[in-house]
Amino acid sequence: MSNEFQTYGQSYPSTEVKNKVLQNTYTLLAMTLAFSALTAFASMQFAMPQVPFFLHLIVFIGLLFAIEKTKNSGAGIALTFVFTGYMGYTLGPILNYYLSIPNGGQVVSSAFMMTAVAFLGLSAYAVTTKKDFSFLSNFILVGAVVLMVGVLTAWLFELQMLQLALCVGFVLFSSAVILWQTGEIVNGGETNYISATVTLYVSIYNLFLSLLQLLGAASDD
């Protein structure tokens, strides 16, 4: 298949190519965020139940694996919308819960605004400075393992304080991933806009959920 889906080359991509990957990434990201918002709204309106933890984990990993396998084709784009639509669906029950508590609307809006400001600020910094954030890769790898173990532990033993600590960890982790992934695009280390979109989307999703939990805990009387 042609390189239409952004595997433009593996070594020293031109400035034009890097700009094209960046443009396509943020275009697809904006579209998937909008689609995710629609599925979240539908999930809220129909009061859909929360997906069980292990089922969610299986679907999440399965879709990521499928996207990785098809990232150089149109199927990769279709699966990206399936994935982000599903993630929006899972967000619906969570938002309904927070909107049902005192000051819930303020908590949700504050988490949304903080997520938007953080993402735009980090992205703008990476794009304008063109710094190499590859040094964050080891932190991201270790952080992913630590956070996954922490999530499983907190779920198994229902440790609320650990859950809050994990939220702080996810805020730092997601921020690092946004810087790293954007830097990779700007400097030519990432040439597939589907992969880049999914990475940034998951980071935004985790950042929003983590801020939502932290703000919700802070506002709890």
Side-chain angles (χ1 to χ4, degrees):
M1 192 164 191
S2 70
N3 291 337
E4 180 182 358
F5 296 97
Q6 308 314 85
T7 46
Y8 285 106
Q10 298 303 316
S11 60
Y12 307 108
S14 67
T15 299
E16 181 183 356
V17 167
K18 290 185 284 189
N19 290 339
K20 188 68 173 177
V21 175
L22 186 66
Q23 178 185 345
N24 286 348
T25 297
Y26 281 93
T27 299
L28 183 58
L29 181 62
M31 294 171 65
T32 53
L33 285 171
F35 182 63
S36 188
L38 285 175
T39 57
F41 178 76
S43 180
M44 292 171 66
Q45 293 301 304
F46 290 102
M48 300 302 291
Q50 193 165 3
V51 180
F53 177 77
F54 272 107
L55 177 59
H56 170 66
L57 198 61
I58 291 170
V59 174
F60 178 83
I61 294 174
L63 285 173
L64 287 181
F65 180 80
I67 291 171
E68 180 62 24
K69 287 295 184 181
T70 59
K71 65 182 180 180
N72 296 320
S73 67
I77 293 180
L79 284 171
T80 299
F81 277 97
V82 172
F83 173 73
T84 55
Y86 165 74
M87 295 299 285
Y89 166 86
T90 65
L91 194 58
I94 298 172
L95 291 176
N96 276 340
Y97 166 75
Y98 278 97
L99 290 173
S100 69
I101 65 176
N103 300 319
Q106 184 177 352
V107 168
V108 171
S109 60
S110 296
F112 176 81
M113 289 301 299
M114 291 173 68
T115 301
V117 170
F119 173 71
L120 292 174
L122 292 167
S123 297
Y125 178 74
V127 170
T128 55
T129 63
K130 294 181 170 59
K131 286 187 176 181
D132 182 4
F133 294 101
S134 59
F135 65 89
L136 291 172
S137 57
N138 288 334
F139 168 80
I140 291 170
L141 178 60
V142 174
V145 174
V146 172
L147 289 172
M148 180 55 67
V149 172
V151 167
L152 291 172
T153 303
W155 178 76
L156 286 171
F157 299 102
E158 299 182 354
L159 303 174
Q160 293 187 352
M161 293 305 297
L162 177 58
Q163 289 177 352
L164 291 178
L166 287 170
C167 288
V168 175
F170 269 111
V171 169
L172 297 175
F173 177 80
S174 298
S175 299
V177 172
I178 291 169
L179 278 175
W180 170 79
Q181 182 64 90
T182 308
E184 287 292 290
I185 299 170
V186 171
N187 293 298
E190 176 61 82
T191 57
N192 188 288
Y193 72 85
I194 294 177
S195 293
T197 296
V198 172
T199 300
L200 290 174
Y201 175 90
V202 172
S203 298
I204 294 170
Y205 184 93
N206 286 333
L207 184 59
F208 174 70
L209 278 189
S210 299
L211 290 171
L212 191 62
Q213 284 188 265
L214 290 171
L215 292 173
S219 66
D220 188 2
D221 294 333

